[in-house]
Amino acid sequence: MTSASSARRRARWPWVVLVIVLVLAALGVAAEFIARSVVPSTVRSLVIDNLDLPADQQLDVQVPGMMLPQLIAGTLDEVRLASDEVTVGGISGSARVTATDVPVSGGALGAAKGTVSIDQDEFSSLLDSAQLPVSRIALAAPNATVEGEVDLFGRQIPVGITVTPGAEDGDLLLTPVSLSLNGMDVNLDAVSGMIGSAGDTITQPQRVCIADRLPVGITLTGLRIEGTSAVADISADGRITVDQKLLENGTCPRS
């Protein structure tokens, strides 16, 4: 009798183990599901609050990989943020940002990089402090063409300047590649000697400070024209999540 009971218990034991494993697996799946529901919405709320965005701001949040191990470790390996239309520091456009080593309990990020895509009007507003005659601007990859007028020999002459945008030390960099005066193409190298200091202004590479349009903790690292949009590469100081001063707009030197 004892031998038979022992045999039955031994027979049931693998099934008991299997049931326990399945229950634990189900609990793990449920916990992962809950984490995937709660964490992105929490991250979204924190970003909206910290950047002072509208409560109904469209902002998609993704956390790749298994969530539970990351939560247990206390750090999210990667968080991806995306919005088709957002305004940060006075610049509006669509944004894609990836943050790494994001502490669950709060603290500085490991790093954050991304892109912001802006239209022609928004790009034009970045040139407000540029020493260029801007009355109209058109973007066509890989360049931007600025049109306006320059004072030449006491007359206002129509000018068109085609530049390749870029970035240098956080500033917007405009490098002229072609020029037209009064509808005629002219040689860039010859213009400076023809019209003096005005020629230097429109034919030499020009840096445009945009620090006053961005939070201190965000730096422009690159800029290119894609189609009819300007795509800016940005990087963020990891301390932007803990230092309120890094969320304030920067300043530009007075000319």
Side-chain angles (χ1 to χ4, degrees), residues 153-165:
F153 307 125
R155 297 176 54 196
Q156 293 296 308
I157 303 296
V159 60
I161 311 163
T162 298
V163 298
T164 301

Side-chain angles (χ1 to χ4, degrees), residues 7 18 23 35 37 49 52-54 58 68 84 93 108 123 147 153 162 170 185 221 224 248 250 253:
L18 179 59
V23 169
S37 300
D49 289 344
D52 197 24
L53 298 174
Q58 179 263 320
L68 281 179
D84 292 333
F123 181 76
E147 296 180 355
F153 307 125
T162 298
D185 292 337
T221 59
R224 59 193 177 278
E248 299 173 0

Side-chain angles (χ1 to χ4, degrees), residues 141-180:
N143 299 318
T145 298
V146 177
E147 296 180 355
E149 293 184 336
V150 293
D151 186 4
L152 182 60
F153 307 125
R155 297 176 54 196
Q156 293 296 308
I157 303 296
V159 60
I161 311 163
T162 298
V163 298
T164 301
E168 184 174 297
D169 298 330
D171 290 341
L172 174 61
L173 180 66
L174 305 174
T175 303
V177 293
S178 66
L179 177 69
S180 67

